[in-house]
Amino acid sequence: MSDSDATFMQQALQEARSAAAAKEVPIGAVLAHKGNIIARSGNRTLRDCDPTSHAEMIVLRKAARVLSNYRLAETTLYVTLEPCSMCAGAMIQARIPRLVYGANDPKGGAVRTCFQILSDPRLNHQVEVTLGVLAEECAAVIQSFFAERR
């Protein structure tokens, strides 16, 4: 983990906390292009009434508009929780070169935990993955959110 990975993950955590404040599942994401954040979001599935409004999907859409290209070369995606299969598939389509995530998702993670989509050699693109960046803090945000609802 580099210092910049921790700094960008802190920004993703801010997005996760904002999502929690809006009663959304607190997952946050930021996309850095050449060292600068070009897109950020938390989950918005309830607000948008859209099951695809995961933080990662929103960030990929925003970044594609910023760069005027759906291929997001020279970027790193930072996410507080291991992406699901939908988000991992979108990362493949966007040709994201690198993913950094915080906590594993034992119930739906599609990077290492349940599936290994980003490293599957049958696909036409693989993504470099750094996992466990600020993992305890990322896990605490989502665990406290669900603990309050039980």
Side-chain angles (χ1 to χ4, degrees), residues 9 12-13 16 25-29 43 54-56 77-84 87-88 91 99-111 113 130-135 137-143 146:
M9 189 60 75
L13 276 161
V25 174
I27 299 168
N43 271 6
H54 289 193
E56 302 96 308
L77 179 62
Y78 295 85
V79 186
T80 57
L81 187 70
E82 179 182 6
C84 70
C87 295
M91 291 171 57
L99 166 70
V100 177
Y101 75 86
N104 287 322
D105 182 1
K107 295 185 179 182
V111 177
T113 307
T130 302
L131 60 126
V133 174
L134 304 181
E137 197 172 344
C138 291
V141 169
I142 200 156
Q143 288 166 351
F146 286 114

Side-chain angles (χ1 to χ4, degrees), residues 11-64:
Q11 295 296 309
L13 276 161
Q14 284 183 1
E15 295 298 323
R17 291 184 186 104
S18 293
K23 308 271 191 269
E24 296 276 4
V25 174
I27 299 168
V30 299
L31 189 85
H33 177 256
K34 298 181 179 180
N36 297 305
I37 294 174
I38 61 167
R40 58 174 55 233
S41 187
N43 271 6
R44 293 189 342 208
T45 55
L46 296 174
R47 181 182 123 184
D48 295 353
C49 198
D50 180 352
T52 70
S53 285
H54 289 193
E56 302 96 308
M57 299 295 287
I58 295 163
V59 164
L60 293 177
R61 289 178 189 130
K62 285 180 178 180

Side-chain angles (χ1 to χ4, degrees), residues 103-118:
N104 287 322
D105 182 1
K107 295 185 179 182
V111 177
R112 294 278 187 260
T113 307
C114 296
F115 306 101
Q116 296 80 39
I117 292 173
L118 300 182

